[in-house]
């Protein structure tokens, strides 16, 4: 009897202990509206679902409250249905797309698909917080490590001049610079993206045992994991978080001419006139610096230089020639400008060395006459208001069409560690340093949108940060050197930048610093070594989101290279004409970016499951149909290794030998290797020859052509020959079909400028190719806008056996089936 009572008490005690254990386990986390909160060892951890595919991870030392408003993320988290459970030490959170596991013992967070496929996991005990004194504020240096699969490739992190595509086995110190634009977002071949939401100097390092982000300053570890299912899908998730890319005006996709610098309004207008006389297409001209006068008036945003006596007339003269003009503006001000004098008493300037360093134009800078130029505090909303006030009054009001925001990282010369201690509106400069371009570009974009909707915002800028795609900006790769190695570097630089969720990128065609090519030549543009490099760079530039020629030392206007009938001149003209024929394709690709979160300049790994393209750094897709293989090695002239930077490049020594070198013939054909990804057939753009994918071929080339291949199943619209983008309506387009697979293409049209497309003022016409029946369906037109073409002709051309089979059809907006 007593024994039975004892045994019952033991069982009761065990049951109570089990209940208590379950109770304790259940209390190891707290449910929130977005996920859970928990304390693990000495760290507070919060999991927040922003959507079924995107989750935010916040970690901070226990009991150290902080407040953070993201500069990049503008999405508000949406209510997401979650199933939360615990088994042992693992708390699992499941949406209908993604599973997140949190080990409440070690703190490790892991991500997997709903069917259990592992995506990414943190390395155990890898979240670290190291005490750091940030200009008097007690905070931390933060670090988080992850474990990647051995055969996994990752891309992004903005633009780097490494010459490589994949980020594996790389260590990258991310501090914004002239030719390096850092965006702490990466994508994986496993179909996920990772955004490290921190603005201080950050080191990314990938080693065999771990991949980590380490930031100098952070009150917390703050990152987002997103499951896109593909690189495109992950980019779409990032844009969902940080903002969609608006449409640019059609004219921005034409050809742009620039140089350092046009020294008078007569010279600027004269370039446009000359292009019109020659019949070479042109849509944009760019005025570089010092239209404001001397360096003490740096960036006055006013035409104080006497060589620009009538700016309004200058702009009108350019507009009369159906061209557009954008102008150089900076993120710093000289001490005699109105902006400086208004901002300085309010503490809105940052006192560190920037460009220019002397009040005199001579090189090297004369430090006995310092310029006194200082960057402004872009993080301060009132300072951004002041910036726009003068920009609006001095430049926007005279009809300038867009902004060339130079030094938007900004230039930080003679760096001292104490410069990071400077106070900004949002704390130390160290804390927010990498977000400088986002804030300054955003300030101009938001103010212009608030001022007028008649003209779409267009900003050409030298630097970028995560989220900048929402501001109507196209980033160029900075003051890169004029060399073949620099050209080779631009392709992976642009591809990684594009995979950082910012779709618009371009480069100085020909490279910026070209003085070495002047030596031994009266005119560098007549030097065959530069001619070859320039033509190949231009041919690459024709297949980037902005085709823009620019540089110092050697003028880049087409007439400097010769005249019609000469090989270099003709090669330049041919590339520009090709660009204009592709405008319907390019503008539709731009709509695909805005409407469907697409990317225009595409690494091959985005579109092909082919292990051979994982690290391809010299070919890419332009849109989803055209494979571009730029010529990136000299074929006709010696490839001289040249190196220059912003310091040495400006040291323009005079040529001592004016004897011309021997002329070079560009007549003979050459050849190059091209890899065609597997899984499809390809058509040689120039010959229409069909080639099987999954092989490397030897392609014959000439000075006026680079290898271009069209993916089977592609439908490409070709526009009319024009002198500027909107000269002729698209009422008689050639619709070229490349058989071998089913295909689809949507032709997008709108009013070419303004924001009425956001209100639905646009149309799309979807073309569908049925490869089995060899028929093209031109579907019912969707949408409408003022000035829309109601009746038009399409000249359908199907490529077959190296020839074009053509048939003209009339289209009035109703479905048409074309049999060929």
């Amino acid at each position: 009897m007593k024994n039975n009572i004892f045994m019952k008490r033991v069982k009761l005690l065990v049951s109570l202990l089990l209940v208590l254990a379950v109770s304790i386990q259940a209390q190891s986390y707290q449910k929130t509206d977005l996920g859970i909160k928990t304390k693990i060892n000495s760290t507070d951890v919060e999991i927040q679902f922003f959507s079924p595919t995107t989750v935010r991870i916040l970690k901070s030392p226990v009991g150290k409250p902080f407040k953070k408003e993201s500069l990049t993320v503008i999405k508000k988290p949406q209510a997401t249905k979650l199933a939360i459970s615990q088994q042992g030490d693992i708390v699992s959170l499941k949406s209908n797309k993604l599973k997140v596991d949190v080990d409440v013992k070690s703190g490790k967070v892991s991500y997997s698909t709903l069917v259990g496929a592992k995506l990414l996991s943190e390395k155990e005990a890898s979240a670290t917080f190291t005490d750091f004194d940030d200009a008097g504020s007690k905070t931390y240096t933060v670090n988080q490590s992850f474990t990647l699969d051995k055969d996994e490739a990752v891309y992004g992190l903005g633009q780097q001049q490494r010459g490589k595509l994949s980020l594996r086995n790389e260590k990258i110190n991310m501090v914004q610079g002239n030719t390096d634009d850092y965006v702490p977002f990466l994508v994986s071949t496993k179909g996920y993206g990772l955004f490290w939401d921190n603005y201080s100097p950050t080191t990314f390092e990938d080693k065999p045992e771990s991949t980590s982000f380490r930031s100098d300053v952070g009150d917390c570890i703050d990152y987002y994991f997103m499951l896109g299912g593909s690189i495109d899908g992950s980019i779409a998730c990032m844009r969902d978080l940080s903002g969609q890319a608006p449409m640019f005006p059609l004219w921005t996709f034409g050809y742009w001419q620039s140089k350092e610098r046009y020294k008078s309004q007569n010279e600027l207008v004269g370039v446009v006139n000359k292009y019109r006389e020659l019949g070479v297409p042109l849509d944009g001209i760019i005025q570089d610096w010092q239209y404001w006068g001397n360096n003490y008036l740096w960036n006055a945003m006013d035409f104080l230089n006497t060589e620009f006596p009538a700016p309004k007339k200058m702009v009108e003269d350019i507009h009369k020639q159906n061209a557009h003009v954008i102008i150089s503006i900076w993120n710093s001000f000289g001490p005699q400008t109105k902006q400086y004098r208004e901002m300085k008493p309010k503490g809105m300037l940052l006192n560190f060395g920037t460009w220019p360093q002397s009040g005199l134009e001579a090189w090297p800078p004369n430090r006995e006459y310092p310029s006194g130029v200082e960057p402004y505090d872009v993080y301060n909303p009132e300072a951004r208001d002041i910036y726009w006030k003068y920009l609006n009054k001095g430049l926007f009001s005279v009809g300038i069409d867009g902004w060339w925001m130079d030094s938007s990282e900004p230039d930080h010369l003679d760096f001292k560690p104490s410069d990071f201690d400077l106070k900004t509106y949002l704390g130390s400069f160290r804390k927010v340093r990498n977000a400088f371009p986002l804030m300054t570009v955003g300030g101009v974009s938001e103010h212009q949108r608030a001022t007028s909707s008649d003209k779409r915002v267009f900003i050409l800028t030298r630097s970028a940060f995560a989220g900048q795609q929402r501001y109507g900006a196209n980033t160029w790769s900075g003051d890169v050197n004029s060399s073949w190695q620099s050209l080779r570097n631009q392709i992976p630089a642009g591809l990684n930048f594009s995979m950082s969720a910012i779709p618009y990128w371009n480069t100085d065609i020909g490279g910026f610093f070209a003085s070495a090519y002047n030596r031994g030549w009266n005119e560098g543009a007549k030097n065959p070594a530069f001619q070859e490099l320039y033509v190949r760079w231009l041919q690459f530039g024709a297949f980037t989101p902005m085709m823009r020629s620019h540089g110092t030392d050697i003028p880049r206007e087409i007439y400097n290279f010769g005249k019609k009938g000469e090989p270099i001149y003709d090669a330049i003209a041919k590339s520009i004409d090709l660009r204009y024929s592709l405008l319907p394709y390019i503008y539709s690709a731009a709509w695909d970016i805005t409407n469907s979160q697409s990317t225009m300049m595409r690494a091959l790994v985005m579109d092909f499951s082919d292990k051979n393209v994982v690290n391809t750094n010299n070919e890419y897709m332009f849109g989803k149909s055209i494979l571009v293989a730029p010529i990136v090695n000299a074929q006709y002239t010696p490839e001289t290794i040249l190196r220059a930077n912003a310091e040495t490049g400006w040291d323009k020594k005079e040529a001592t030998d004016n004897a011309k070198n021997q002329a070079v013939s560009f007549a003979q054909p050459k050849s190059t290797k091209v890899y065609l990804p597997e899984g499809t057939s390809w058509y040689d753009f120039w010959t229409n020859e069909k080639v099987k994918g999954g092989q490397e071929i030897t392609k014959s080339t000439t000075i006026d052509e680079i290898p271009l291949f069209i993916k089977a199943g592609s439908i490409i619209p070709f526009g009319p020959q024009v002198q500027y983008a909107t000269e002729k309506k698209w009422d008689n387009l050639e619709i070229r079909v490349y058989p071998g697979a089913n295909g689809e293409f949507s032709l997008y049209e709108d009013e070419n400028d303004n924001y009425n497309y956001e209100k639905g003022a646009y149309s799309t016409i979807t073309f569908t190719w049925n490869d089995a029946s060899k028929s093209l369906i031109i579907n019912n037109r969707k949408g409408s806008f003022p000035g829309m073409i109601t009746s038009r002709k399409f000249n359908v051309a199907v490529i077959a056996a190296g020839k074009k089979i053509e048939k003209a059809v009339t289209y009035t907006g109703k479905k048409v089936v074309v049999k060929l």
Side-chain angles (χ1 to χ4, degrees):
M1 180 77 177
K2 288 183 178 180
N3 191 44
N4 286 341
I5 294 173
F6 175 76
M7 290 303 297
K8 286 181 180 179
R9 287 177 177 175
V10 169
K11 288 180 180 179
L12 180 60
L13 181 60
V14 169
S15 298
L16 288 172
L17 288 172
L18 286 172
V19 171
L20 181 62
V22 170
S23 176
I24 291 172
Q25 187 185 63
Q27 308 249 336
S28 65
Y29 66 89
Q30 172 190 348
K31 287 186 179 181
T32 68
D33 291 340
L34 304 177
I36 66 167
K37 288 182 179 180
T38 184
K39 289 179 171 48
I40 304 173
N41 301 323
S42 58
T43 304
D44 284 327
V45 179
E46 183 169 2
I47 314 291
Q48 300 177 344
F49 271 78
F50 270 54
S51 75
T53 56
T54 299
V55 60
R56 181 190 190 190
I57 310 299
L58 282 164
K59 299 182 181 182
S60 60
V62 167
K64 300 289 185 180
F66 63 90
K67 181 180 180 182
K68 178 179 176 182
E69 292 186 15
S70 179
L71 300 178
T72 293
V73 176
I74 59 174
K75 179 183 176 69
K76 302 299 181 187
Q78 65 188 66
T80 302
K81 186 177 180 180
L82 297 175
I84 302 175
S85 61
Q86 183 168 359
Q87 185 172 0
D89 294 326
I90 305 300
V91 178
S92 297
L93 299 86
K94 281 186 183 180
S95 71
N96 61 4
K97 299 287 187 182
L98 174 66
K99 179 171 179 275
V100 180
D101 290 332
V102 185
D103 188 325
V104 294
K105 186 175 181 180
S106 70
K108 183 175 79 170
V109 182
S110 303
Y111 308 90
S112 60
T113 65
L114 295 184
V115 295
K118 294 180 180 179
L119 297 166
L120 177 71
S121 67
E122 297 177 352
K123 198 171 177 65
E124 284 194 10
S126 63
T128 63
F129 300 86
T130 306
D131 289 341
F132 185 82
D133 187 324
D134 181 27
S137 296
K138 292 187 181 300
T139 184
Y140 307 95
T141 293
V142 295
N143 184 93
Q144 177 67 63
S145 297
F146 304 88
T147 302
L148 271 60
D149 285 350
K150 183 180 179 181
D151 59 350
E152 178 181 358
V154 290
Y155 311 94
L157 297 188
Q159 168 197 286
Q160 318 98 36
Q161 300 291 335
R162 299 178 297 119
K164 300 177 183 178
L165 189 65
S166 176
L167 301 169
R168 297 308 304 265
N169 302 308
E170 294 287 328
K171 182 176 181 179
I172 301 173
N173 295 313
M174 297 193 288
V175 183
Q176 305 290 19
N178 182 321
T179 60
D180 295 291
D181 302 331
Y182 293 114
V183 179
F185 172 71
L186 60 78
V187 291
S188 167
T189 49
K190 294 181 71 174
Y192 68 81
L194 186 73
F195 172 49
W196 180 259
D197 196 6
N198 188 289
Y199 325 118
S200 71
T202 296
T203 299
F204 167 85
E205 186 171 14
D206 179 64
K207 298 183 290 187
E209 65 272 18
S210 68
T211 302
S212 63
F213 286 90
R214 179 186 181 277
S215 292
D216 285 0
V217 173
D219 294 327
C220 62
I221 289 171
D222 185 358
Y223 74 87
Y224 294 78
F225 177 91
M226 51 207 81
L227 176 59
S230 64
I231 293 176
D232 274 309
S234 299
I235 288 170
C237 289
M238 182 59 184
R239 293 205 201 134
D240 181 52
L241 271 182
S242 59
Q244 302 297 342
M247 285 293 289
F248 285 134
L250 177 62
W251 50 265
T252 65
F253 296 106
Y255 176 68
W256 285 82
Q257 188 62 64
S258 179
K259 76 170 185 178
E260 188 282 306
R261 58 189 160 88
Y262 298 117
K263 296 186 177 181
S264 70
Q265 71 180 67
N266 288 338
E267 183 184 8
L268 185 74
V269 176
V271 172
V272 179
N273 293 341
K274 185 68 174 177
Y275 269 81
R276 292 290 179 255
E277 290 171 14
L278 292 171
V280 177
L282 178 78
D283 261 276
I285 190 83
I286 305 177
Q287 177 57 49
D288 206 341
W289 58 7
Q290 293 179 326
Y291 58 89
W292 50 70
N294 64 56
N295 287 353
Y296 297 114
L297 292 168
W298 188 265
N299 197 34
M301 299 174 176
D302 204 353
F303 292 93
L304 304 175
N305 186 329
T306 56
E307 294 297 322
F308 296 83
K312 194 170 183 63
K313 182 180 184 303
M314 177 187 76
V315 173
E316 289 171 352
D317 288 343
I318 292 169
H319 287 171
K320 285 176 184 176
Q321 291 281 27
N322 297 293
H324 296 79
V325 57
I326 67 175
I327 198 162
S328 173
I329 57 175
W330 289 59
N331 304 282
S332 53
F333 297 101
Q336 293 179 1
T337 60
K338 295 177 182 177
Q339 296 93 325
Y340 184 104
R341 287 179 281 156
E342 183 169 350
M343 290 183 180
K344 186 70 171 178
K346 297 182 177 182
M348 296 177 177
L349 298 174
L350 304 175
N351 183 21
F352 61 75
T354 193
W355 183 272
Q357 294 184 297
S358 172
L360 309 177
E361 289 188 41
W363 186 269
N366 189 332
R367 303 302 178 89
E368 293 184 5
Y369 296 92
S371 68
V373 173
E374 294 184 6
Y376 87 105
D377 184 356
V378 301
Y379 311 97
N380 187 322
E382 185 184 352
R384 297 195 297 271
D385 290 345
I386 294 170
Y387 190 97
W388 173 255
K389 178 178 70 175
Y390 289 102
L391 184 59
N392 185 29
K393 181 180 179 182
L395 299 177
F396 195 55
S397 64
V398 303
I400 298 293
D401 298 300
W403 316 111
W404 181 13
M405 297 192 72
D406 211 336
S407 188
S408 54
E409 58 279 339
D411 281 308
H412 194 162
L413 308 177
D414 299 331
F415 169 76
K416 303 184 295 296
S418 60
D419 290 345
F420 275 157
D421 293 337
L422 291 171
K423 295 292 185 182
T424 75
Y425 184 82
L426 295 179
S428 77
F429 185 47
R430 179 185 296 104
K431 183 177 182 180
V432 291
R433 196 268 171 271
N434 281 344
F436 192 102
L438 176 71
M439 303 305 290
T440 190
V441 168
V444 171
S445 178
E446 290 175 344
H447 278 94
Q448 183 177 326
R449 279 300 310 261
T451 302
S452 172
S453 291
D454 295 335
K455 186 181 294 187
R456 293 178 194 167
V457 174
F458 180 68
I459 298 171
L460 173 64
T461 181
R462 198 171 77 182
S463 196
F465 190 72
Q468 201 157 301
Q469 73 280 349
R470 66 181 181 252
Y471 289 134
N474 192 320
T475 304
W476 96 91
S477 61
D479 298 339
V480 297
N481 186 31
S482 298
S483 72
W484 288 95
Q485 184 56 53
S486 185
L487 172 57
R488 287 191 284 270
N489 290 345
Q490 299 318 297
I491 298 172
L495 295 176
N496 269 311
F497 186 86
S498 297
M499 287 189 283
S500 302
I502 309 179
Y504 290 109
W505 177 92
N506 71 104
T507 181
D508 288 347
I509 291 175
F512 185 71
F513 293 115
S515 63
Y517 292 97
N518 280 325
R519 293 175 191 144
W521 292 83
N522 288 326
E523 300 174 67
K526 298 297 191 292
N527 182 343
F530 185 73
Q531 289 180 336
E532 184 183 5
L533 175 65
Y534 181 76
V535 165
R536 295 312 192 193
W537 208 313
L538 183 90
Q539 291 163 340
F540 161 58
F543 292 92
T544 62
M546 183 181 187
M547 187 183 187
R548 180 187 58 90
S549 173
H550 178 71
T552 189
D553 309 310
I554 299 176
R556 313 294 167 88
E557 297 80 17
I558 187 171
Y559 43 82
N560 289 295
F561 293 91
K563 58 186 179 182
K564 191 173 182 179
E566 296 177 350
I568 297 302
Y569 182 102
D570 288 352
I572 295 170
K574 184 174 182 176
S575 286
I576 296 173
D577 284 337
L578 178 58
R579 172 74 174 198
Y580 276 84
S581 73
L582 287 168
L583 282 182
Y585 174 81
I586 294 170
Y587 201 52
S588 298
W591 173 245
D592 201 23
I593 289 170
T594 297
N595 186 57
S596 303
Q597 299 79 50
S598 187
T599 297
M600 189 177 296
M601 195 172 169
R602 306 172 60 80
L604 297 183
V605 72
M606 297 177 71
D607 293 308
F608 303 100
S609 298
D610 182 342
K611 63 182 180 181
N612 294 307
V613 304
V614 169
N615 284 302
T616 298
N617 64 352
N618 60 350
E619 300 175 20
Y620 61 97
M621 297 296 291
F622 185 63
K624 294 177 180 175
S625 297
I626 303 175
L627 185 147
V628 184
I631 302 294
V632 292
N633 295 95
Q635 295 176 316
Y636 297 89
T637 60
E639 183 175 315
T640 307
I641 303 299
L642 302 170
R643 292 181 176 86
N645 55 39
E647 294 294 320
T648 60
W650 285 110
D651 189 5
K652 300 176 184 182
K653 297 174 182 175
E654 292 298 319
T656 56
D657 176 14
N658 289 325
K660 292 191 176 182
N661 295 330
Q662 187 174 355
V664 172
S665 171
F666 290 105
Q668 68 271 32
K670 301 290 184 179
S671 65
T672 189
K673 300 284 189 183
V674 180
Y675 181 78
L676 300 175
E678 66 181 13
T680 184
S681 295
W682 297 91
Y683 289 84
D684 186 317
F685 175 78
W686 305 107
T687 67
N688 291 329
E689 177 191 3
K690 190 176 181 180
V691 187
K692 184 181 178 181
Q695 63 173 322
E696 184 179 72
I697 65 169
T698 299
K699 167 64 180 164
S700 176
T701 64
T702 54
I703 190 63
D704 62 340
E705 293 179 1
I706 61 170
L708 300 172
F709 287 85
I710 312 300
K711 186 174 69 170
S714 293
I715 303 167
I716 300 180
F718 286 84
Q721 186 174 359
V722 292
Q723 297 302 294
Y724 54 93
T726 57
E727 182 186 14
K728 298 176 183 177
K729 291 182 178 293
W730 294 348
D731 56 357
N732 193 14
L733 299 181
E734 177 182 325
I735 307 298
R736 203 175 295 179
V737 179
Y738 295 84
N742 293 334
E744 185 174 286
F745 181 87
S746 289
L747 177 69
Y748 172 83
E749 297 170 291
D750 62 15
E751 295 175 272
N752 300 323
D753 209 336
N754 73 46
Y755 287 96
N756 290 340
Y757 75 89
E758 293 182 343
K759 304 171 185 175
Y762 66 87
S763 75
T764 58
I765 301 170
T766 299
F767 299 81
T768 305
W769 171 252
N770 186 309
D771 201 58
S773 64
K774 296 295 183 284
S775 59
L776 180 72
I777 302 169
I778 309 175
N779 292 282
N780 291 330
R781 181 179 53 225
K782 294 182 179 179
S784 64
F785 59 92
M788 182 182 70
I789 301 167
T790 55
S791 180
R792 70 208 301 171
K793 289 183 178 178
F794 288 127
N795 183 40
V796 178
V798 177
I799 308 303
K803 298 179 181 179
K804 289 198 295 185
I805 301 172
E806 300 184 62
K807 186 173 184 179
V809 297
T810 299
Y811 180 76
T812 59
K814 300 298 182 182
K815 180 179 176 180
V816 176
V817 179
V818 185
K819 284 272 194 178
L820 292 121

